[in-house]
Amino acid sequence: MKKLFTPILLIFICNLSLAQNGDEIFVQNISGTDYVIHKFTTTGTNSFTPPSGVTEVDVLVIGGGGAGIENLSFSGAGGSGGGAGGYVFKTNFNITSLPSPINVVVGAGGVKRANPNGTGVSNSGGDSNFGTITALGGGGASMNSQNGNIQALDGGSGGGSRDLANAGSGLQPSQPFPSDGLGNDGGNSPSAALGTGAGGGGGAGSAGADGGGPSNGFGGNGGAGVQNNIDGTNSFYAGGGGGGGSQNRAIGLGGSGVGGNGANSSTPATDGLPNTGGGGGGGNDSQVAGNGGSGIAIVRYRLSDVNDFVFTSDGDWDVNTNWANNTLPTNGANVVIAANPQLTADKTVGNIEVSTGVTVNINSGFNLNVEGDISHLGNFTGDGEVIMNSSAAQAISGGGSFENLRIDNSITVDVNDPTDIFGILYVDQGTLNTNNNLTLKCSFPVTQFAQFGTVSGMVSGDVTVEQCFPARRAFRLVSSSVTTSTNIKANWQEGATGYLSNPNPGFGTHITGVEPG
């Protein structure tokens, strides 16, 4: 039987903003000290707002890794590996002179390319930034001195090369304070000859190795990365990409397991690992190269430095031992929620920051009143309500979810990142600017639908509304609570072209009557 329906998506109407305070926020004990850790892993521009009391942070910034290159010019020869992104680690970095929120950029990895195709197109990684700290993107690899590809590209660490073309230089160490750090040059290979292997990209810990000569055409290993325990994982970052080997000769290995491996005729190249700044592996005349791994920015500060109130242990909101320093927050104070609280009474806070994966459960009949902004990477659940009530503009950022949300703001509330509602949304006054980021959810098995309650204010921007119906053949009287400018075929049937059509992702209404079968 044809699947009848899973979610219908309807639309209301504007702009997209970017993540605030990181993609992951958590508390971690490292060597006896409790740290609050913010990890920025999504490429692009983000922001970080330090909590009250924090004047210094430890910060690790890694640029995007450079990509490797594929050989299309010489039978059996390998292509070079990409350079790692620049590595910068600062402890006790003073942030008092930086504007708040602090600008944070995560650089993308470089995109693999072929030789001579793509001549003049950069395959370097993107720079990453935290305020005034810059970690340069890794240099892209080059193939040889022919076909216009004369030199590998410079970067945080330099790209590898072949045929005595100049390898890329590691520029990161020469950057002036506070953007200094680690980076090294790429590797090379001997003069062109049939079967020559290619050089590896430079890494934060060492230069890329040279590839083998005509009688031993192995790919050079990527330069080593550097290990860092800023978030308690003791991970490696910024390893160079390995060079490609000729024919079936040995491949160059990516530095420290985070740079991509090179290719030979029977082994494909691999990408640099995401969020490590690893360089991409070099290709071969029969294998494409690897892309560079994206960068990362990680910020931490001591929990004891935070003047805002921090919830650190699962349990009742009103139990003082569940809060840092055994101190309950005062009415209207800024709070950081790093564990799972239960609200059994009305509460009022200023700004509230909810860490990754945390669930704030609000019992029926009670409200969490928010007078500031919500930076939210978890879930507000329970039959109670989160109420945005201020006479100043407010914002919801981070991409978490709500059960019941009430807008009682006399000016505006902006939804800056994709946000889900599973219960009821009320707009009592003011303007809710969705910025096209709001979804009213449903789920299987069908127990409830998210919906609008009373709207006495105004909603501006698109809202995605899901409706779920059990998969059984039955007559459905379906109407929308909103108007839409698109037709039934596009909006309710995903543009299906016939009763056998099942567009991706396979949702939508099946309407019978034409060519029944």
Side-chain angles (χ1 to χ4, degrees):
M1 178 181 293
K2 176 78 172 179
K3 180 170 67 175
L4 296 180
F5 190 65
T6 3
I8 290 178
L9 303 180
L10 301 177
I11 306 278
F12 292 136
I13 321 182
C14 208
N15 282 311
L16 188 60
S17 189
L18 299 155
Q20 184 183 42
N21 284 352
D23 300 282
E24 297 179 48
I25 307 170
F26 54 93
V27 175
Q28 179 72 38
N29 185 280
I30 302 173
S31 301
T33 300
D34 288 328
Y35 291 96
V36 182
I37 297 170
H38 298 247
K39 296 179 73 170
F40 294 85
T41 58
T42 300
T43 57
T45 302
N46 309 269
S47 64
F48 170 71
T49 302
S52 175
V54 174
T55 60
E56 293 182 338
V57 298
D58 299 334
V59 58
L60 174 69
V61 187
I62 307 293
I69 196 166
E70 172 188 352
N71 166 38
L72 294 180
S73 298
F74 302 100
S75 175
S80 310
Y87 173 104
V88 184
F89 179 50
K90 294 292 183 186
T91 59
N92 302 318
F93 180 67
N94 192 296
I95 58 175
T96 56
S97 63
L98 300 179
S100 184
I102 298 169
N103 191 57
V104 182
V105 177
V106 177
V111 179
K112 60 191 175 188
R113 66 185 176 106
N115 170 60
N117 300 327
T119 299
V121 178
S122 174
N123 53 345
S124 294
D127 295 350
S128 295
N129 299 91
F130 178 83
T132 55
I133 296 174
T134 298
L136 300 174
S142 74
M143 185 58 208
N144 52 53
S145 59
Q146 302 182 39
N147 302 311
N149 295 295
I150 298 174
Q151 180 174 338
L153 298 176
D154 302 332
S157 285
S161 65
R162 178 187 173 278
D163 183 19
L164 292 181
N166 293 327
S169 297
L171 301 180
Q172 191 67 58
S174 64
Q175 296 299 297
F177 181 84
S179 295
D180 54 351
L182 301 175
N184 289 279
D185 298 343
N188 208 314
S189 69
S191 178
L194 182 65
T196 289
S206 66
D210 293 341
S215 61
N216 193 5
F218 56 84
N221 290 334
V226 174
Q227 204 166 13
N228 191 290
N229 198 39
I230 186 172
D231 61 349
T233 63
N234 212 26
S235 298
F236 278 97
Y237 300 93
S246 66
Q247 300 174 349
N248 278 314
R249 303 282 174 81
I251 62 174
L253 299 179
S256 302
V258 297
N261 295 333
N264 59 24
S265 298
S266 59
T267 304
T270 58
D271 298 336
L273 287 186
N275 299 129
T276 69
N284 184 271
D285 66 335
S286 59
Q287 303 280 1
V288 299
N291 297 312
S294 56
I296 193 170
I298 304 177
V299 184
R300 77 178 185 188
Y301 46 87
R302 290 176 293 274
L303 180 59
S304 59
D305 290 344
V306 180
N307 290 337
D308 295 343
F309 296 87
V310 183
F311 191 84
T312 57
S313 300
D314 294 351
D316 196 311
W317 180 289
D318 288 318
V319 174
N320 66 311
T321 54
N322 290 333
W323 293 86
N325 305 317
N326 294 331
T327 305
L328 292 172
T330 55
N331 193 57
N334 296 333
V335 297
V336 177
I337 308 300
N340 302 306
Q342 184 83 28
L343 272 70
T344 57
D346 290 344
K347 300 296 173 186
T348 299
V349 300
N351 297 323
I352 182 169
E353 182 175 299
V354 181
S355 300
T356 305
V358 163
T359 296
V360 181
N361 193 284
I362 307 172
N363 281 14
S364 178
F366 301 111
N367 302 321
L368 176 61
N369 299 288
V370 181
E371 297 177 337
D373 296 332
I374 297 176
S375 179
H376 175 31
L377 293 163
N379 309 285
F380 287 100
T381 64
D383 293 329
E385 294 181 358
V386 176
I387 303 177
M388 306 284 284
N389 53 358
S390 176
S391 58
Q394 294 175 278
I396 300 171
S397 303
S401 69
F402 296 84
E403 185 70 20
N404 302 310
L405 176 64
R406 185 179 294 271
I407 306 301
D408 192 18
N409 181 294
S410 58
I411 303 178
T412 60
V413 173
D414 279 283
V415 182
N416 290 332
D417 294 292
T419 299
D420 295 331
I421 306 290
F422 286 90
I424 301 177
L425 172 63
Y426 302 91
V427 184
D428 293 343
Q429 63 171 328
T431 299
L432 174 63
N433 293 319
T434 72
N435 295 314
N436 304 344
N437 284 323
L438 192 62
T439 298
L440 302 187
K441 299 289 289 186
C442 67
S443 59
F444 288 97
V446 180
T447 56
Q448 67 179 35
F449 300 89
Q451 58 188 295
F452 274 99
T454 303
V455 178
S456 301
M458 179 178 178
V459 178
S460 175
D462 290 358
V463 176
T464 299
V465 181
E466 296 183 358
Q467 294 188 21
C468 300
F469 295 88
R472 65 175 182 270
R473 198 173 188 87
F475 175 76
R476 311 287 187 186
L477 179 60
V478 180
S479 64
S480 168
S481 60
V482 297
T483 58
T484 180
S485 59
T486 56
N487 56 37
I488 289 176
K489 178 180 178 182
N491 200 27
W492 293 66
Q493 296 181 276
E494 297 186 290
T497 56
Y499 74 94
L500 293 177
S501 178
N502 188 29
N504 185 45
F507 301 148
T509 301
H510 175 48
I511 300 177
T512 61
V514 178
E515 299 183 51

